[in-house]
Amino acid sequence: MKYLDLAMNAAEKLGVEYADIRIQKTTEQVIFLQNLSLKHTSNNVLQGFGIRVFKDGAWGFAHSNVFSDEAVLATVKKAVETATLSAEVNKTKKLRLAPERSYISTYKTPVKIDPFSVPVSEKIDLMMEVSRTMLAYEGIKKTLLIMIMHKDEKLFASTLGTRLDLTTQFINPMITAVAVTESDSQSRTFDEGGRAVGWEWILELDLIDKAKQIAEEALIKVKADTLGAEERRSLVLDPNHLGLTMHESVGHATELDRVLGWEADYAGVSFATPEKLNNYHYGSELINFVGDNTLEGGLATLGFDDDGVPGQKWYIIKDGILKEYGSTRDTALEIGLIASRGCNRATYYFNQPINRIPNLYLLPGTKPLTPGELIADTEDGIYIQGRGSYSIDHHRINFQFGGDFFWEIKNGKLIRPLKKVIYKSCNPEFWNSCDAICDERFWRPFGVVNCGKGQPPQTGRMTHGSSTARFRNIRVGGSQ
Amino acid sequence: MNSEKIVQYIQKHCIADDWTLNITKDDSHETRFAQNVITQHIAGAMKEISLSVSFGSKAGSCTVNQDDEESLAYLVKTAEEIAKLAPEDPEFVPSAGKMDIPEIVNCDPQTKALEPKQLVDIVQNSINRAKTYGATVSGLTEKHIETNGLFTKNGFSGEYEKSDFGHSMTLKKDEVETKVAYEAKNFAAFNLETLLEKLFNQASTLAVKQTFEPQKIAVLLRPLALQELFWFMGWMMDRRYADEGITPFTDQLGKLFLGEKFSWFSTYKQPTLLAPPFTSDGIIAEEIPWVEKGVLKNLSTSRYWAKKIGSKPCNNYNMFIPGEGYTEEEMLQMVPRGLIVNSFWYIRSVDVKAGEFTGTTRDGVWYFENGKIQYAVNNLRFNEIPHTATKRIIATGISELANPSSLLPAMLIDNFNFVDKTSF
Ligand SMILES: [Zn+2]
């Protein structure tokens, strides 16, 4: 596209050290159904470009939704003026960019059936049937269904000579059944957090079967017992649940911008500071966390990040020891890294990219172990499935999590369903208490599509994964 | 294309039985700084045009951000195609008709006139002062001018402009972390010196810290902390969810369900408060008591639910909580001991039916005894039910602006339920 060269030439003429342009078209289809009322069905298209320039140790970023030579040139000028203002302030401490080579490349999310090619009526019919399936259960008073199909088409050019053509997409179905009695209401949700795949995934999922399961479990849950006072017990956590736990307590804690204090004013900082690299026991020896922006189906598998750095795979925690962070070109040199790990991502064309959690997952256990065997081996504990309440402090140390479905374990057996269970733990207690992880046959990925961070806020996406795992001696009890 | 032209295009080309058009424009400048350095700096204008159409009760929507004829043609065609494929909606409501829209001043000319250089100077001065104090400062200095327009086939036609200026600062010096922020539609009341003085004062009183165990204890919650807590409670105060038995507000309308020292209004008569005159689907801002002296008076009601139950739609568009006017010093005298909490962080629902939430303290917690602050303490986690906490209000302060949409006082609340502590 001619605007790429136009913008880069103009930026170079204005004497910048570095510049890039990202022309981005975001297409989203959202279908929201509540009971049998289709609340919202929409196609949304947001397109424009963002131009980022680096000058005298400072960034300037300007964006526009107007596609014309004049608008591109005016936006370059605005970005340069903005960087010039920043540079005045940064005179005594300049930002630096880690070196990077140029790339000429394309990437496309592999999809068998493009969700946008499936008629909207077929999607609505499926969702109506799913909703009717759940409402057929007496006691299910409300259903909520959301289907999101999302595509980003990006053209990226930088003054390094990089030229990228990237088309990435994901799909995310969510189904909730709410059971209501005289004295309580409880919901159960099917939500795998989205996956970078096509409509073929929806066909494989069998949402009708999932609907029956969550409706039945919501009815069990609303009548389930509650736990009493907090006690230290074992937790057996399923991969979906662990996806959110690792997101909050490992993913955000190992974003280098937080470590550097760049998010101190809002999203927070991190306890996992650089002097802990290569010596801090973040978890037990079983704990291996990998950052992997090449993961198949991963929401952060985009070919390249918005710095023009390719997707990579690296250890963040190895054998329990903190090894590295997720980094960007403007954070890497601050702690002496030689290059970025490619974690700079923007949500829309009008957002300046920020340091994001990569696809981050817990490696499976190396010894054969099934979830059934793990529960059979647990004397006293709680088995937690799915995601519920979650809250963590702004240093990423102390946290409290709920879940979506709970069973009490006694002498190796699931003896009764529970509701309103919460557990409290902290870093590094939690990951050090892990004494068993099921093997690779039970490893499952789970996405996060609503990771809020930044000022102004942006919504990030990434995939996590694990096998079912056990944590010993964690404080768990009922809510008030 | 201006809004008028876009409306004309839709009137001419949309063949649906009914339509609702939303046009949003935003011109922003955001300077982000951290550890005494500008780390991000963003400028630009945006536009979004959303069209919802219906044939009978079959509805569909589309959003674009370009206003050329080709984009508008796509907008109309896409929304209409979706609507034709949609099933009949049993909860369909026609678009809002012509209404009297209250005149509310939401845009301040002085805020609108702010230049990028002025914003950066505020950042520069903040950083210089932090350096002199031997600290680092991180924050966001921002300006937004937003226009929201709503036009319908049934005759609703309205557009309003709102301004927003914000400057926040989080100070870090050794182990001390604390924050101050100003955000309002008006720039005029902003005073950097006053804000810096407050920041350094907070920082100096946080330097000596002692370990404090979680417990039920009296708390003086400052307006920002309360705003966050009550915002989450307000999010649950929905008529349909109450009528369906999902929230704690089921069958509580008209009853003394909250504490008698607690009232909450949405109002457009407080000049400093932002008050959008209408919602994106045409619910007009009115003077609404949500809670008056503990009695639950109203719950947010959507246009569909209002029609179904024969009530009036209403929307919780801002938070005005009147206070009794006690000073912080006076309130510290009212209980033998307690904590002062500056703000909360990461509040999330724990149990929807119970109305229970969790969260942690942030940016400063102080222990007081015998009417005086004794020392700062570590951060704490709470599990608390805000509507029952209002029954434990001992006294309330002077209402102040916590953010553009919230005007509320500090409150002294007894037996606040802290359940865990952090190591910092
Ligand atoms: Zn997140």
Side-chain angles (χ1 to χ4, degrees):
Chain A
M1 203 186 223
K2 64 169 180 169
Y3 299 132
L4 300 178
D5 291 332
L6 182 69
M8 292 304 93
N9 292 339
E12 271 176 342
K13 267 191 204 140
L14 290 169
V16 303
E17 285 162 49
Y18 169 84
D20 58 39
I21 176 169
R22 177 169 38 92
I23 301 174
Q24 183 173 340
K25 179 181 179 185
T26 300
T27 310
E28 196 162 68
Q29 188 172 71
V30 182
I31 306 173
F32 172 37
L33 183 68
Q34 181 175 299
N35 293 351
L36 299 177
S37 168
L38 198 56
K39 287 288 162 212
H40 188 71
T41 313
S42 67
N43 271 20
N44 308 322
V45 183
L46 293 183
Q47 54 188 329
F49 55 90
I51 292 170
R52 195 169 62 139
V53 307
F54 192 76
K55 191 174 179 263
D56 298 328
W59 286 118
F61 178 80
H63 56 83
S64 173
N65 61 343
V66 181
F67 287 96
S68 70
D69 287 4
E70 299 74 44
V72 169
L73 293 173
T75 308
V76 172
K77 190 164 163 269
K78 198 185 236 179
V80 172
E81 285 167 0
T82 309
T84 306
L85 284 171
S86 313
E88 273 299 303
V89 177
N90 290 6
K91 263 184 185 156
T92 52
K93 190 180 183 310
K94 295 178 191 305
L95 300 179
R96 292 178 301 152
L97 299 184
E100 190 55 58
R101 53 160 278 208
S102 67
Y103 299 87
I104 295 178
S105 187
T106 60
Y107 179 79
K108 223 171 177 330
T109 302
V111 298
K112 290 194 185 102
I113 306 168
D114 185 350
F116 290 94
S117 72
V118 177
V120 70
S121 52
E122 191 178 321
K123 297 166 188 166
I124 294 170
D125 287 350
L126 172 64
M127 289 171 72
M128 292 292 268
E129 198 187 339
V130 169
S131 191
R132 268 194 290 270
T133 303
M134 295 190 284
L135 290 167
Y137 287 84
E138 197 177 335
I140 297 297
K141 292 280 162 46
K142 197 179 196 74
T143 65
L144 298 161
L145 298 90
I146 302 173
M147 180 89 78
I148 297 170
M149 286 135 285
H150 183 107
K151 186 186 278 185
D152 282 307
E153 294 162 275
K154 287 183 202 171
L155 294 172
F156 177 94
S158 80
T159 49
L160 294 176
T162 293
R163 295 290 184 275
L164 303 171
D165 182 347
L166 312 170
T167 300
T168 53
Q169 61 188 94
F170 72 89
I171 183 162
N172 185 26
M174 283 175 284
I175 309 170
T176 297
V178 186
V180 181
T181 61
E182 274 296 300
S183 57
D184 199 8
S185 75
Q186 289 291 329
S187 66
R188 178 80 172 107
T189 296
F190 168 81
D191 177 10
E192 302 219 330
R195 211 175 275 190
V197 292
W199 187 255
E200 64 277 5
W201 184 45
I202 302 297
L203 301 178
E204 285 159 22
L205 275 174
D206 193 352
L207 292 176
I208 301 290
D209 190 55
K210 298 283 184 294
K212 288 178 188 160
Q213 186 189 338
I214 63 161
E216 284 162 16
E217 291 181 351
L219 292 168
I220 293 171
K221 189 178 169 188
V222 78
K223 289 185 190 141
D225 295 337
T226 51
L227 265 189
E230 190 175 285
E231 283 180 77
R232 284 194 178 266
R233 305 172 79 166
S234 293
L235 295 181
V236 176
L237 303 177
D238 89 337
N240 190 348
H241 180 87
L242 274 172
L244 193 54
T245 313
M246 71 179 69
H247 177 91
E248 299 291 356
S249 68
V250 182
H252 281 308
T254 56
E255 290 168 322
L256 184 50
D257 66 339
R258 274 181 194 264
V259 171
L260 296 171
W262 286 18
E263 289 284 338
D265 189 55
Y266 178 61
V269 294
S270 173
F271 74 96
T273 39
E275 78 284 358
K276 296 189 174 82
L277 287 171
N278 297 311
N279 62 64
Y280 181 73
H281 287 263
Y282 209 117
S284 69
E285 285 180 359
L286 297 176
I287 300 298
N288 289 287
F289 273 106
V290 173
D292 182 2
N293 286 341
T294 66
L295 176 73
E296 198 183 318
L299 295 171
T301 303
L302 309 170
F304 291 79
D305 75 349
D306 294 326
D307 270 341
V309 176
Q312 298 165 50
K313 184 175 176 179
W314 72 104
Y315 275 104
I316 287 181
I317 295 170
K318 188 162 194 311
D319 303 326
I321 304 290
L322 176 66
K323 298 302 282 186
E324 216 191 305
Y325 302 111
S327 54
T328 62
R329 285 191 71 203
D330 59 3
T331 56
L333 296 181
E334 297 293 318
I335 60 157
L337 294 174
I338 54 166
S340 161
R341 283 298 187 186
C343 295
N344 219 15
R345 306 201 294 276
T347 306
Y348 294 104
Y349 77 86
F350 51 77
N351 295 125
Q352 185 171 347
I354 55 174
N355 198 155
R356 282 291 183 182
I357 303 175
N359 296 320
L360 173 87
Y361 51 82
L362 180 66
L363 292 182
T366 49
K367 292 180 194 143
L369 181 66
T370 70
E373 288 165 350
L374 183 58
I375 289 165
D377 182 55
T378 305
E379 255 177 43
D380 173 68
I382 310 293
Y383 176 43
I384 303 182
Q385 293 172 286
R387 301 170 188 181
S389 177
Y390 56 101
S391 172
I392 187 163
D393 71 52
H394 60 288
H395 287 212
R396 303 276 147 182
I397 298 174
N398 172 292
F399 51 86
Q400 176 179 301
F401 282 94
D404 199 39
F405 202 50
F406 316 89
W407 287 90
E408 184 163 29
I409 307 171
K410 277 278 180 212
N411 302 319
K413 291 206 163 57
L414 301 177
I415 58 159
R416 59 170 178 154
L418 296 167
K419 65 181 172 187
K420 306 189 183 196
V421 174
I422 49 177
Y423 68 90
K424 296 188 191 77
S425 189
C426 59
N427 273 316
E429 173 196 84
F430 182 75
W431 295 102
N432 275 287
S433 76
C434 180
D435 77 337
I437 306 175
C438 293
D439 67 62
E440 61 184 359
R441 290 170 295 166
F442 306 97
W443 190 93
R444 303 279 312 277
F446 287 93
V448 169
V449 293
N450 59 351
C451 174
K453 185 183 169 182
Q455 291 170 306
Q458 297 187 48
T459 308
R461 300 180 288 268
M462 61 290 296
T463 293
H464 303 297
S466 72
S467 303
T468 300
R470 183 172 60 196
F471 299 80
R472 294 290 202 186
N473 226 12
I474 303 292
R475 289 176 291 157
V476 59
S479 59
Q480 283 194 32
Chain B
M1 220 183 264
N2 62 23
S3 298
E4 202 185 323
K5 289 238 170 75
I6 297 171
V7 175
Q8 283 167 2
Y9 183 94
I10 303 300
Q11 281 169 335
K12 193 170 165 197
H13 294 92
C14 182
I15 56 158
D17 298 341
D18 195 4
W19 52 259
T20 298
L21 176 70
N22 291 95
I23 304 172
T24 308
K25 291 172 241 172
D26 182 38
D27 197 346
S28 303
H29 195 100
E30 290 140 330
T31 309
R32 200 173 184 211
F33 54 103
Q35 312 304 319
N36 294 349
V37 178
I38 291 182
T39 53
Q40 291 203 309
H41 204 160
I42 305 162
M46 292 186 290
K47 178 181 264 186
E48 275 189 33
I49 306 161
S50 296
L51 180 69
S52 297
V53 309
S54 54
F55 293 96
S57 71
K58 295 147 73 90
S61 305
C62 182
T63 299
V64 296
N65 73 330
Q66 315 275 314
D67 57 12
D68 54 281
E69 288 219 1
E70 196 187 326
S71 300
L72 296 180
Y74 170 84
L75 179 77
V76 173
K77 184 172 152 267
T78 308
E80 287 181 352
E81 276 176 7
I82 293 172
K84 284 176 190 161
L85 293 169
E88 299 285 343
D89 179 5
E91 299 186 1
F92 176 79
V93 273
S95 69
K98 188 172 165 27
M99 277 186 229
D100 290 330
I101 300 166
E103 292 248 345
I104 306 168
V105 181
N106 282 311
C107 190
D108 166 44
Q110 207 184 341
T111 309
K112 204 173 173 178
L114 279 171
E115 291 288 338
K117 176 79 170 75
Q118 287 172 276
L119 300 173
V120 175
D121 284 346
I122 293 168
V123 174
Q124 178 80 74
N125 291 336
S126 304
I127 290 174
N128 289 348
R129 290 291 303 277
K131 281 182 181 168
T132 309
Y133 190 78
T136 62
V137 71
S138 308
L140 173 71
T141 309
E142 61 182 329
K143 171 203 164 178
H144 298 268
I145 304 297
E146 193 180 303
T147 310
N148 288 278
L150 171 66
F151 311 90
T152 70
K153 180 150 188 185
N154 284 328
F156 191 104
S157 175
E159 196 161 45
Y160 66 92
E161 197 174 33
K162 63 182 186 187
S163 56
D164 181 79
F165 165 78
H167 179 60
S168 62
M169 293 180 283
T170 292
L171 176 142
K172 175 104 167 82
K173 187 183 182 185
D174 304 320
E175 296 305 303
V176 172
E177 292 168 311
T178 190
K179 178 173 178 171
V180 293
Y182 175 92
E183 195 188 349
K185 61 184 178 186
N186 296 319
F187 176 69
F190 173 70
N191 184 318
L192 182 61
E193 280 310 310
T194 313
L195 208 57
L196 281 163
E197 205 173 293
K198 190 175 161 193
L199 182 68
F200 297 143
N201 184 36
Q202 279 176 202
S204 66
T205 56
L206 285 166
V208 182
K209 197 185 272 187
Q210 296 198 19
T211 303
F212 195 82
E213 294 301 322
Q215 56 195 267
K216 283 190 177 171
I217 188 168
V219 281
L220 192 145
L221 298 180
R222 287 185 171 156
L224 193 61
L226 274 174
Q227 186 277 330
E228 288 164 26
L229 191 62
F230 289 144
W231 186 88
F232 275 90
M233 179 178 83
W235 161 75
M236 273 191 189
M237 290 168 65
D238 176 87
R239 182 69 192 265
R240 179 172 187 170
Y241 275 67
D243 290 350
E244 290 179 336
I246 291 165
T247 65
F249 301 97
T250 304
D251 297 329
Q252 297 303 333
L253 268 176
K255 295 181 186 165
L256 186 68
F257 186 59
L258 297 98
E260 286 178 64
K261 281 182 183 280
F262 184 77
S263 298
W264 175 349
F265 306 89
S266 282
T267 177
Y268 55 82
K269 292 189 174 160
Q270 289 287 336
T272 56
L273 261 185
L274 181 73
F278 52 85
T279 63
S280 62
D281 61 347
I283 301 176
I284 295 286
E286 290 182 60
E287 296 295 298
I288 308 171
W290 302 106
V291 181
E292 212 166 355
K293 294 186 173 145
V295 177
L296 185 66
K297 291 278 191 174
N298 284 290
L299 291 166
S300 284
T301 311
S302 68
R303 294 180 65 239
Y304 163 69
W305 202 251
K307 194 175 127 191
K308 184 179 158 83
I309 62 173
S311 172
K312 223 173 125 178
C314 57
N315 173 55
N316 196 332
Y317 58 92
N318 65 21
M319 181 189 286
F320 170 53
I321 298 178
E324 296 167 301
Y326 290 108
T327 64
E328 200 164 294
E329 291 68 34
E330 285 169 329
M331 286 194 275
L332 297 193
Q333 310 280 348
M334 295 177 184
V335 288
R337 60 195 281 276
L339 297 175
I340 300 172
V341 173
N342 217 29
S343 67
F344 286 134
W345 164 247
Y346 222 131
I347 299 178
R348 285 294 181 278
S349 164
V350 170
D351 183 349
V352 174
K353 186 63 191 174
E356 183 182 353
F357 293 89
T358 190
T360 67
T361 60
R362 182 169 176 173
D363 301 321
V365 189
W366 297 265
Y367 175 72
F368 68 88
E369 202 178 302
N370 301 325
K372 284 210 165 52
I373 292 176
Q374 303 293 326
Y375 44 80
V377 302
N378 46 271
N379 284 296
L380 295 153
R381 170 173 299 285
F382 69 84
N383 281 344
E384 183 57 271
I385 298 172
H387 67 265
T388 61
T390 63
K391 294 180 182 165
R392 290 179 253 123
I393 295 172
I394 297 164
T396 61
I398 304 151
S399 297
E400 52 183 274
L401 204 64
N403 65 27
S405 305
S406 309
L407 183 66
L408 73 167
M411 289 185 185
L412 182 65
I413 299 178
D414 209 6
N415 285 323
F416 203 78
N417 188 32
F418 291 109
V419 294
D420 204 1
K421 67 170 192 282
T422 59
S423 53
F424 60 92

